[in-house]
Structures are given as structure tokens and as C-alpha cells.
Amino acid sequence: MLYRIPALLIAITIHEYAHAQTAESMGDPTPRFMGRLTFNPLAHLDPIGALMLVVAGFGWAKPVGINPNNFRNRREGILKVSFAGPAANLFLCFLAALIGVIMAKFGLLSQGVQAFLFWTQMYNVWFAFFNLIPIPPLDGSKILGELLPPRTAYQYENMVGQYGFYILLALVFTGIVGAIINPFARAYIGLVNSILGIIF
């Protein structure tokens, strides 16, 4: 837990900050007014969601509130804000691996630092792909909603949205979420290792 909790807080903070910063860059000041344009993890932490992530591998942070009407381009704004969180997590996963390789190359990688970087990679890659699942209220559902025709998106949100939390619980505790996420996570980690192997 000494290494997992800081890694988890970093993954959650980066994910939500990326949403907030992207919304700000697209013309929506709502996250700034709500105090979410910060690297302070306490501003983004949902205690129950964080505990669930540690215990069950399924969890959530406090959602960043946005007002799509403030975006210069509503559809582009929603898509970019929704992608920003998972993209930031994937980048941080790569960065943790890069730091580990560099430190190992110079003989600076202690067992504790290695454990911390390992969990930083794992939480970030899991958080990224979990949030891309197209079930409300996850980022993937917002992306899907913008890609579907408006009528279909509305029907999907009405049909699935009200049961989204229970669907996610069922998927997690039956192991289906792991079966969905793990191949993508392994593929991404493999890609990262391949890239670093070529560089170093």
C-alpha cells in the first residue's frame, strides 16, 4: 500500500486534471470555477471510488463538471475533454516506464522506486482503458454519444445510462471488465517496452 496509494492518487489526479485543463483550453471555465484545475489530489478524490479501485480494481474519481455550451465547438470539445483523461493516463504510464529504464541504466533504481513505478504504470493503464468502456458515466460513453447519430445516442443514454453503475458493478465482479481491459493493457505495456527497447 505504501507504493500503491501514491501511484493511485497520481493516476486519478492526472486523469481529472487533464479533463479540466482541456475544457479550459476549449473555452469552458467551469472546472476552474469549481477548483478542479489543480494537481491537488484532494480536489479530485472520491474516497469510496478510490477505495473500490484499490480493493476491486474498479473505481472512480470525482467527475469534472463541464458546460458544453461554453465550448467553441460543442462536439469537438466533448470529444477532446473525454479523450484527455485516458490519454493523460497512457502518457503517464509511458513516462513511468521511461523513468524506470533511465534510473536502471544509471544504477539508481531501488526496489521501492521500482515498485512505485510499476504501480504507477498499472494504475494508469487500467484507469485509461477502464474509462474508455462505453458505459455511462465513463468517458467512453461520452465519446460514443458524440460518434452516434443524435437520436441513437439519446436512446442509448436513456436505456443504458440509468443502469450504468449497476452494469459496471456486474462487469467488475464477474471478471468481464478484466477480460476486456487486460488484452489492451498488455498490448500497450508491450508497445511501451518495445519502444523503450529500441531507444535504449
Side-chain angles (χ1 to χ4, degrees):
M1 299 305 290
L2 182 65
Y3 308 114
R4 291 178 66 177
I5 290 176
L8 173 61
L9 290 176
I10 289 172
I12 288 174
T13 301
I14 288 297
H15 182 95
E16 299 302 331
Y17 177 82
H19 283 316
Q21 180 59 58
T22 305
E24 174 86 9
S25 71
M26 297 297 292
D28 180 20
T30 305
R32 176 161 44 88
F33 293 152
M34 297 178 67
R36 304 300 299 278
L37 202 61
T38 175
F39 286 112
N40 181 357
L42 296 179
H44 307 292
L45 192 64
D46 182 301
I48 297 176
L51 180 64
M52 286 288 288
L53 189 58
V54 171
V55 173
F58 156 75
W60 56 90
K62 191 189 301 179
V64 170
I66 62 171
N67 184 353
N69 294 324
N70 289 328
F71 293 145
R72 291 182 291 274
N73 180 309
R74 185 184 184 281
R75 183 172 185 271
E76 180 185 0
I78 292 175
L79 286 173
K80 285 186 175 180
V81 170
S82 299
F83 269 118
N89 288 130
L90 292 178
F91 173 75
L92 194 56
C93 175
F94 175 83
L95 186 61
L98 175 63
I99 292 171
V101 169
I102 293 174
M103 292 185 71
K105 191 175 183 65
F106 289 97
L108 301 173
L109 190 63
S110 66
Q111 186 175 357
V113 173
Q114 185 178 25
F116 167 71
L117 292 174
F118 169 79
W119 284 110
T120 299
Q121 289 183 67
M122 292 300 103
Y123 276 129
N124 276 282
V125 75
W126 290 338
F127 213 52
F129 288 113
F130 175 76
N131 273 281
L132 288 173
I133 295 174
I135 297 175
L138 300 180
D139 299 325
S141 68
K142 299 178 180 66
I143 294 168
L144 180 64
E146 292 304 312
L147 297 178
L148 291 173
R151 180 177 175 81
T152 306
Y154 177 79
Q155 291 173 337
Y156 180 79
E157 177 65 29
N158 277 351
M159 180 176 62
V160 180
Q162 57 184 324
Y163 304 112
F165 179 75
Y166 303 104
I167 294 172
L168 287 172
L169 279 179
L171 292 177
V172 167
F173 289 108
T174 57
I176 295 175
V177 158
I180 294 170
I181 293 176
N182 284 337
F184 291 102
R186 283 195 297 266
Y188 183 76
I189 294 290
L191 176 62
V192 167
N193 291 336
S194 297
I195 293 172
L196 295 178
I198 293 171
I199 296 174
F200 295 96

